[in-house]
Amino acid sequence: MKTIQFIKPIDEIDLPFVKVTNGNFKGMIFLVDTGCNNSIIFTDSLEKYGQYLQMEPNEEEYLYGIDSIEHSVPVVMAKINIMGRKHESKFLLSDQSETVKIVASHVGLEAHGILGVNFFRLYGWVIDFNNEQIYMMEEKNK
């Protein structure tokens, strides 16, 4: 079983973040969010990582914020290499530039997206908040 450490201790920044350390998305920082059903890539990340995303034509989903407002957003596919494993998943594409600025000013990290519950379930990730790491369960033969 492989593990991914959080970038900084939670007691320093109050939120769990992980960083992609290899492949096309190297350097990308994700907030680990167990309260978010979907995974999201922020539009601010398109300049650096957009060439590695595949737009899903005519596919949109609804994103609901804490403000209870429904936003229709496009869907992209990303093939992200994390700890030597390829993870291919759908992500919602959302403009969260103001939120990114606020989070960056509080925690000193610029997030590029959110890994949500759909990603953890798809790849069998288990989050261990006490040890500040994520366990990547062994892949099963399909």
Side-chain angles (χ1 to χ4, degrees), residues 6-78:
F6 296 165
I7 294 175
K8 291 185 176 182
I10 291 179
D11 56 353
E12 278 183 30
I13 60 174
D14 294 326
L15 296 167
F17 289 89
V18 294
K19 185 175 191 175
V20 178
T21 57
N22 53 13
N24 293 339
F25 292 94
K26 183 177 182 176
M28 196 170 212
I29 295 174
F30 287 98
L31 170 65
V32 175
D33 190 346
T34 60
C36 188
N37 292 334
N38 295 300
S39 295
I40 300 167
I41 292 180
F42 302 142
T43 55
D44 289 356
S45 305
L46 290 178
E47 187 174 323
K48 185 170 183 179
Y49 300 106
Q51 64 189 351
Y52 307 114
L53 301 173
Q54 178 183 342
M55 295 296 291
E56 292 293 296
N58 304 319
E59 189 171 349
E60 289 191 345
E61 290 194 23
Y62 290 100
L63 182 63
Y64 300 91
I66 198 163
D67 56 7
S68 299
I69 297 174
E70 179 180 90
H71 305 274
S72 178
V73 295
V75 177
V76 295
M77 286 296 296

